[in-house]
Amino acid sequence: MKEMMASRKGQRAAGTDGNDFMHREKVANHYSLSVLNKGRVKWTILFHWMLFILMAARFSTSICHFLNVSIPTFLLQLQLPSPQLWELAWLPSIMGSLFTQLSLKKNNSLLLWQGLIGTLVLGLLPVLLGCVNVYPVVKSYLFEQHTPVQPGLAFNIEIATCVWLMIAIQVHLYHVYFTIQLLSAWTVGSNKKLK
């Protein structure tokens, strides 16, 4: 005796074995790309926030001076140098990540474009200027093996800045790449809706 599968509305149509659903179960490629790149962009935004917090911690003595707040003794012992111009120019780059984050919920391509431009102009450009600025220190470290360590620190602040710059370049470049991928997925989706 042949067993038949149960269905909600009686027997299955004759001549089908149940494998004819494949053409109906596909998700459009631009939707899956959008979901994938949204997740990736969110990770780059998280790393951008981490870099921002590190930079704000480095500016803590300058911030205390600016606000006329007494500086804690442990910060005074670190003797952190005053911020450089490229570092101050980089701080507003977090706005690009904020615009990008706001654009993700409703697939707002205008906000995503603004976030992309903000990341390029306020994020990547100051970081590249910072690389030019620390190049002489890195060159002397690599070729002369002479880097004076600041008192109170177990490392050279310029080398730590160089490491921060390398990470920041990667975060910003990945952010730009994934944002462009996301924009292209959204453009394909909007073009198909218009047809």
Side-chain angles (χ1 to χ4, degrees):
M1 185 164 127
K2 189 175 180 182
E3 292 184 25
M4 300 192 82
M5 292 181 64
S7 74
R8 284 185 270 179
K9 297 184 180 181
Q11 289 184 343
R12 190 176 13 196
T16 149
D17 61 356
N19 289 327
D20 61 345
F21 67 91
M22 295 302 280
H23 68 283
R24 291 179 273 138
E25 296 294 324
K26 290 184 181 175
V27 176
N29 192 30
H30 66 273
Y31 289 123
S32 58
L33 284 176
S34 176
V35 169
L36 177 69
N37 287 311
K38 274 185 182 183
R40 291 174 174 171
V41 166
K42 286 178 183 178
W43 276 106
T44 61
I45 291 171
L46 174 70
F47 287 123
H48 192 169
W49 273 104
M50 287 183 195
L51 290 170
F52 183 79
I53 290 169
L54 282 173
M55 187 63 75
R58 183 189 162 335
F59 289 164
S60 55
T61 55
S62 300
I63 292 170
C64 289
H65 275 294
F66 181 73
L67 298 175
N68 290 330
V69 177
S70 63
I71 302 171
T73 55
F74 72 92
L75 287 177
L76 286 174
Q77 292 172 351
L78 291 177
Q79 297 178 356
L80 294 172
S82 59
Q84 297 176 10
L85 187 59
W86 70 266
E87 293 169 325
L88 293 172
W90 180 84
L91 282 178
S93 71
I94 200 68
M95 297 301 291
S97 287
L98 287 174
F99 284 145
T100 303
Q101 182 67 38
L102 291 173
S103 73
L104 295 179
K105 191 168 189 174
K106 300 264 186 179
N107 292 359
N108 187 337
S109 59
L110 178 64
L111 277 177
L112 193 62
W113 270 109
Q114 291 172 347
L116 177 64
I117 292 169
T119 300
L120 285 170
V121 173
L122 299 173
L124 198 57
L125 186 63
V127 167
L128 292 175
L129 291 173
C131 289
V132 171
N133 193 21
V134 299
Y135 174 74
V137 175
V138 173
K139 183 180 173 186
S140 69
Y141 177 75
L142 291 176
F143 297 115
E144 298 170 14
Q145 298 296 326
H146 174 65
T147 55
V149 177
Q150 291 173 283
L153 293 176
F155 54 89
N156 188 331
I157 195 73
E158 283 86 10
I159 300 302
T161 302
C162 182
V163 171
W164 185 93
L165 284 168
M166 288 188 291
I167 295 169
I169 285 175
Q170 292 177 36
V171 167
H172 289 311
L173 287 176
Y174 280 124
H175 182 87
V176 167
Y177 176 75
F178 295 141
T179 302
I180 290 171
Q181 294 296 312
L182 193 56
L183 277 169
S184 67
W186 289 356
T187 305
V188 168
S190 64
N191 288 343
K192 286 185 178 180
K193 287 179 186 175
L194 292 175
K195 290 180 182 181

